[in-house]
Amino acid sequence: MSSEPASDRKGNGETGITPSAGETIERHLHAALDDAENPETRFHLRQALQLVEALDDPGP
């Protein structure tokens, strides 16, 4: 069994994250961001949100 994430093993550019999974992750990150008080934590949560949004964006 490979230690690579499933998305890396596909080799076809797909992330393996379904739209509903991406929405769920985004909701959880927004909730965490709303509750976070530490500026560094908020920064990392915003970065994670940007990554999820990039995965959801089909691009050109």
Side-chain angles (χ1 to χ4, degrees):
M1 179 168 207
S2 174
S3 62
E4 295 177 46
S7 60
D8 290 346
R9 289 193 305 264
K10 286 184 179 183
N12 60 6
E14 293 180 17
T15 62
I17 296 177
T18 64
S20 61
E23 291 168 7
T24 300
I25 293 168
E26 197 169 337
R27 273 196 317 272
H28 284 280
L29 288 170
H30 276 291
L33 185 58
D34 290 343
D35 290 339
E37 295 179 10
N38 181 307
E40 189 173 338
T41 301
R42 292 180 61 78
F43 169 81
H44 290 293
L45 288 167
R46 284 192 299 271
Q47 293 291 99
L49 275 167
Q50 289 178 351
L51 290 171
V52 171
E53 290 170 0
L55 290 173
D56 287 342
D57 185 14

